[in-house]
Amino acid sequence: MINHNRARALVRLGATASALALALGASSGAWAQTTPAQPPAPQPAQAEDDAVPADIIVKGSFIDAGASSATKLDIRVLDTPFSVDSYNGNFLKAIETTNVSDLYKYMTGIQRAGNTGYDITFRGFKTSGNDRNAILTDGLPGLSVRFGSPPTIGTERIELVKGATSVLYGQAQPGGFINIITKKPKATAAYQVELKAFTGAGSYGRAIGYLPSIDFTGPITSDGSLLYRVVAEAGYNRGFRNDSYEKPIYIAPSITWKPGSRTDITVQGEYRRDKSHYDTYLVAPNRDATLIAPINTTYQEPNDYLLERGYIGTLLVRHEFSDKVKFNLGYRYVDHFDTQLNFDVNGFKAATPANPTAPLTTLTRRARGQINKRTYSFVDANFNFKFDTFGIRHTLMIGGGGGQETASLDRTQFYACTGSCTALDVAIYNPVIGAAPALSSFPLDSSATQANLTWRYTTQNSIGLYASDLIEFGDMFKAMVGVRYADEHQTIEDLRVPAGVTYKHDRKTLPLAGLLFEPTRQLSFYASYATSFVPTAAASQDVFGLNPFVPTYAVSYEGGVKLDMFSHRLNLTAAYFDIEKQNTLNTTACLTLAQLNAAIALGTYTVPANARRDAAGNLIPGTGTCSDQIGKERSRGFEIELNASPLPGWTITGGYAHTKARVVSANAGLPYQAGARETNSPDDAFNFWTRYDFQGGALENLGLGLGLSYIGKRVGFLPPAAVDPRPENGTMPLAAYTTIDLGLYYKLKNIDLTFKVTNLFDKRYIESAGFTGDINLVPGTPRLLTATARIHF
């Protein structure tokens, strides 16, 4: 059945884009008079994930015209019936950051949404640490560290794909994903040494740090059949928050072997180590963001730490049997380890008759020790066939893949200092830090049975088979169809307290379809239908400590227009999307037994027949992080993105996203959440970055950059009850904010110099709310000065 509202929206969007395209065409004379950008010299063939067709690369642009992540095919963005952007090295150098996540504010439809690398909001839907496909590397899952975002020094380009993508990549949230294309060996020798230095320059100016790095590449053999690349960095960063620091180390060697002109085999390694001060960030008493303490306030002790370490091995193979038959294979293995010793913020102090305002002034903490080990072992392989049938061109892809993800989560200490225990209480404002007893002086667990000292071990085994076909009915009409069969097995057990193994098995068949109309080579209209599927993680638990959750499933409708004119010097994408998602998990802090009993009495929860009970018959609630499964969510809106090079040396990128992400219907016990705004999702967001490099005269080799990012109002919670006296029914509204960045660039022969001011006006803002909402609120970085010297030889 046709959804007429969606159809009318697509028609209106198409009509508006058509008028804009005609207007731009009418003014093409002014653009045509400028000297077109010169394409770079042809480069030797690279591995599949590093290849972009030579005829669609333009020097100076921030966005490439080709991107393979959305379809796994080397085709133009205009030939893709989905929203996809390929942000290249020019973009990375203009923004000049150290981590990939710092680039999100200049991308459209995506925002940071927490303190780990996986916490991202795509088109209103949040991903988390359980969503391994939220960030892919060369098309495969698994990051070397989880709390730190991938470094930009090892990144060649970033492809942002929006919408449901499970047909080609398996389990994935419906908002989209990021694919980081890593640097690969080059046939031409090149050597780069870089030094970054930064310091705070605002009200909280204690930040200071340095980050030297190298990037060497070239041939090993005289015939160019064996190439190498080594990328590495190490440094120190003292952050703006009290006691904060980071000590990163990153090494990524790689070798490419070309046994023939049609074959590339690349082997990559990665080692990353990151030690930092453990931080649970800020809190909002009474769920009121106006009551947050100064942004440099920390509630952890000076010696609290988080240590992460990761090893990665990757194999990428590309072979062309002929011009019409190609084979691609990728394999990635990740061994990750992290450990922490710290005092967690456990919650707000309960009110008592003697101290009724305690929740507004005091926090409780727990003594925490944790050792986590994770592995990812995944492979993907596919064949591409090009052929004709009765004059209709086909690009058929048939592939499959899968692998295993394991997680060993060992709580070595989990002592909550609550009730009459006050040794770990800390003031919300002006906390006294450094006076707490040592972690070793506290018991390992606050439970007499040590029930909180869990050691969960989970495995997830995934198998998928997929096929897609890009069908070309002449030059103007194209279609894409695809299907995936996904099979997911999960197990969970406790290695410390054996109680049997819990199994979960899910399978799904997922379709996609898209249509393209291209009246010219520079203009395309598209519409698409896609699906996504995410099995709930085996380690997920409800307030009863059980996992009754069913997989989430989503359907995405999208339509829009893409314009690429004047040799890729003007690029426009306008898209309307409508995504419906069922059975979403909403993650919150678990309840105490008293809180759980109160919620049961109110009818919020119903005690399941298999609820866990102790010897006295009391319920055993879940501990740590719990989840509720809500009924249905919907995100719909539109995005407009512009990338342009109107004059030699002048580059512009920008975008606006209007995203209305809401809970449509709620499961039993949570009816008051229907209609609620999704957390960490602004209705409106805008970004803009421009760079101009003077082409001659006294200012030749000088460049100027200006960036602006606006993030609209968000909330940190879904409504906790039908009526809640706290601000906006207990949803904890977060104010909108605008930040402005400046860049100054100068080139001296083989030396590139950059000076950047981040957050020019020293704006105070909350970047995101954590998984517990009123705890783990991440503040934005105050004014920061960064100087970079990059030497090429």
Side-chain angles (χ1 to χ4, degrees):
M1 180 178 295
I2 298 175
N3 187 313
H4 295 286
N5 290 330
R6 292 194 183 104
R8 284 193 293 270
L10 294 177
V11 170
R12 287 195 297 270
L13 181 63
T16 302
S18 298
L20 180 58
L22 291 174
L24 289 169
S27 62
S28 61
W31 287 72
Q33 291 173 4
T34 61
T35 303
Q38 296 298 316
Q43 297 293 321
Q46 300 297 312
E48 178 73 23
D49 289 311
D50 200 29
V52 178
D55 62 336
I56 57 176
I57 299 178
V58 177
K59 183 179 180 181
S61 174
F62 288 158
I63 306 293
D64 289 334
S68 62
S69 295
T71 61
K72 294 188 178 180
L73 301 173
D74 283 332
I75 59 177
R76 301 186 311 154
V77 170
L78 263 67
D79 296 333
T80 305
F82 307 100
S83 293
V84 56
D85 294 303
S86 179
Y87 296 90
N88 59 31
N90 294 325
F91 175 78
L92 271 62
K93 291 177 181 178
I95 308 299
E96 199 66 77
T97 67
T98 58
N99 297 317
V100 169
S101 60
D102 294 328
L103 300 168
Y104 298 164
K105 66 179 182 178
Y106 291 114
M107 298 177 177
T108 303
I110 174 176
Q111 291 88 35
R112 291 182 65 174
N115 64 333
T116 79
Y118 289 99
D119 291 324
I120 308 170
T121 296
F122 297 93
R123 284 186 170 175
F125 292 117
K126 184 180 180 299
T127 63
S128 67
N130 292 325
D131 297 305
R132 62 173 181 254
N133 285 346
I135 301 183
L136 302 177
T137 305
D138 294 320
L140 295 165
L143 299 179
S144 53
V145 304
R146 293 166 58 84
F147 285 87
S149 177
T152 54
I153 185 65
T155 302
E156 184 76 24
R157 67 182 188 273
I158 300 170
E159 297 190 356
L160 171 60
V161 181
K162 289 171 283 189
T165 58
S166 283
V167 170
L168 296 181
Y169 291 95
Q171 57 172 278
Q173 296 293 344
F177 70 94
I178 287 173
N179 189 18
I180 298 173
I181 310 300
T182 57
K183 292 179 176 178
K184 309 294 193 306
K186 302 289 185 181
T188 302
Y191 310 95
Q192 174 183 294
V193 176
E194 178 182 295
L195 175 63
K196 276 183 169 44
F198 31 86
T199 182
S203 302
Y204 303 96
R206 70 179 300 276
I208 191 170
Y210 58 88
L211 193 65
S213 64
I214 62 169
D215 181 359
F216 295 169
T217 187
I220 297 176
T221 58
S222 59
D223 62 356
S225 63
L226 198 61
L227 314 174
Y228 83 96
R229 192 159 194 165
V230 177
V231 181
E233 72 176 12
Y236 172 82
N237 174 23
R238 187 184 71 190
F240 70 91
R241 289 176 51 72
N242 296 338
D243 298 319
S244 67
Y245 67 88
E246 183 182 17
K247 299 177 181 179
I249 299 174
Y250 171 81
I251 304 173
S254 58
I255 292 178
T256 294
W257 178 42
K258 298 174 177 290
S261 61
R262 292 183 176 271
T263 305
D264 299 322
I265 302 173
T266 298
V267 178
Q268 295 176 292
E270 178 180 319
Y271 169 77
R272 191 175 179 196
R273 183 183 186 274
D274 199 346
K275 186 175 182 181
S276 60
H277 181 247
Y278 186 85
D279 196 349
T280 57
Y281 297 97
L282 300 171
V283 302
N286 199 43
R287 296 192 178 180
D288 187 345
T290 65
L291 300 180
I292 295 174
I295 61 173
N296 64 334
T297 304
T298 183
Y299 302 111
Q300 277 63 56
E301 298 299 308
N303 292 328
D304 290 3
Y305 73 88
L306 169 67
L307 174 64
E308 296 190 273
R309 184 271 300 154
Y311 298 98
I312 298 179
T314 303
L315 172 67
L316 303 171
V317 179
R318 180 190 185 191
H319 179 68
E320 296 182 2
F321 293 94
S322 68
D323 293 340
K324 296 185 177 181
V325 181
K326 298 180 181 179
F327 171 73
N328 300 289
L329 179 143
Y331 172 74
R332 182 174 176 88
Y333 178 80
V334 179
D335 184 305
H336 167 87
F337 166 87
D338 67 75
T339 183
Q340 63 189 68
L341 288 172
N342 60 273
F343 292 101
D344 271 343
V345 171
N346 191 41
F348 297 91
K349 190 74 173 179
T352 64
N355 189 5
T357 63
L360 299 177
T361 61
T362 309
L363 296 172
T364 63
R365 296 186 296 179
R366 69 164 65 95
R368 176 78 176 271
Q370 186 82 27
I371 299 174
N372 298 325
K373 298 178 182 179
R374 292 177 171 87
T375 64
Y376 303 85
S377 179
F378 284 86
V379 65
D380 184 83
N382 59 71
F383 286 91
N384 296 335
F385 305 92
K386 292 186 176 181
F387 58 93
D388 295 350
T389 57
F390 306 105
I392 299 174
R393 295 189 297 271
H394 297 263
T395 302
L396 176 66
M397 179 172 58
I398 299 175
Q404 184 181 78
E405 174 185 353
T406 70
S408 171
L409 311 178
D410 182 10
R411 283 181 181 170
T412 58
Q413 188 174 20
F414 204 76
Y415 177 77
C417 186
T418 58
S420 59
C421 174
T422 60
L424 291 181
D425 288 358
V426 65
I428 295 176
Y429 309 102
N430 299 314
V432 176
I433 301 299
L439 280 167
S440 58
S441 67
F442 293 94
L444 296 180
D445 191 359
S446 49
S447 167
T449 61
Q450 296 197 340
N452 294 322
L453 292 183
T454 59
W455 187 352
R456 290 185 174 178
Y457 184 80
T458 65
T459 64
Q460 299 183 49
N461 294 289
S462 306
I463 297 175
L465 300 174
Y466 59 88
S468 70
D469 191 8
L470 177 61
I471 307 167
E472 302 179 53
F473 304 95
D475 294 330
M476 295 178 63
F477 294 95
K478 300 177 183 180
M480 175 172 281
V481 294
V483 65
R484 182 186 188 93
Y485 172 76
D487 190 282
E488 304 279 346
H489 288 262
Q490 299 185 68
T491 66
I492 180 171
E493 59 181 317
D494 194 305
L495 300 182
R496 182 167 287 113
V497 185
V501 181
T502 299
Y503 297 90
K504 291 181 73 70
H505 182 204
D506 302 295
R507 57 172 66 95
K508 197 76 175 178
T509 300
L510 302 158
L512 73 75
L515 292 173
L516 289 151
F517 170 57
E518 299 182 2
T520 72
R521 285 280 295 172
Q522 292 76 39
L523 178 66
S524 70
F525 299 87
Y526 73 95
S528 62
Y529 165 87
T531 52
S532 73
F533 160 76
V534 181
T536 55
S540 299
Q541 61 174 339
D542 62 10
V543 293
F544 297 97
L546 305 174
N547 187 338
F549 307 124
V550 299
T552 62
Y553 177 74
V555 174
S556 172
Y557 301 90
E558 183 175 332
V561 60
K562 301 178 183 181
L563 182 70
D564 193 338
M565 299 179 67
F566 313 117
S567 300
H568 192 57
R569 291 193 298 111
L570 176 62
N571 178 276
L572 173 73
T573 299
Y576 169 82
F577 59 90
D578 192 339
I579 307 171
E580 292 185 352
K581 180 181 177 184
Q582 298 183 19
N583 300 317
T584 302
L585 285 188
N586 177 42
T587 304
T588 62
C590 292
L591 303 179
T592 64
L593 179 58
Q595 291 170 331
L596 179 58
N597 286 331
I600 293 171
L602 291 172
T604 304
Y605 297 106
T606 301
V607 181
N610 60 337
R612 305 176 303 161
R613 297 182 182 272
D614 60 20
N618 297 313
L619 290 170
I620 302 176
T623 59
T625 302
C626 289
S627 300
D628 288 317
Q629 194 156 44
I630 62 179
K632 182 186 293 185
E633 299 171 306
R634 185 179 186 182
S635 178
R636 53 180 172 171
F638 63 89
E639 298 165 345
I640 299 175
E641 299 176 74
L642 173 69
N643 298 279
S645 300
L647 295 171
W650 186 16
T651 307
I652 301 169
T653 184
Y656 169 72
H658 176 72
T659 307
K660 190 174 181 179
R662 301 291 189 269
V663 177
V664 177
S665 62
N667 288 331
L670 304 170
Y672 45 81
Q673 292 186 348
R677 180 198 294 257
E678 293 290 346
T679 61
N680 285 310
S681 176
D683 280 3
D684 298 283
F686 172 80
N687 68 86
F688 170 84
W689 184 275
T690 184
R691 173 174 174 172
Y692 180 72
D693 292 283
F694 292 92
Q695 301 297 291
L699 297 180
E700 186 177 7
N701 297 323
L702 178 68
L704 302 175
L706 172 67
L708 183 149
S709 174
Y710 168 79
I711 301 295
K713 175 184 172 181
R714 298 138 293 143
V715 298
F717 277 97
L718 295 177
V723 178
D724 192 285
R726 292 171 290 189
E728 295 197 18
N729 204 36
T731 59
M732 199 184 70
L734 302 175
Y737 63 91
T738 301
T739 57
I740 295 177
D741 301 337
L742 289 180
L744 179 66
Y745 317 93
Y746 193 74
K747 186 173 181 63
L748 288 169
K749 293 184 178 180
N750 64 329
I751 302 177
D752 297 331
L753 301 175
T754 302
F755 179 75
K756 183 184 176 186
V757 183
T758 301
N759 194 358
L760 176 66
F761 296 109
D762 207 22
K763 176 72 174 179
R764 299 290 181 273
Y765 62 95
I766 298 299
E767 187 176 69
S768 63
F771 69 88
T772 56
D774 50 2
I775 300 174
N776 295 108
L777 286 101
V778 180
T781 302
R783 186 187 297 124
L784 182 71
L785 309 181
T786 304
T788 304
R790 190 176 290 115
I791 305 174
H792 306 271
F793 55 94

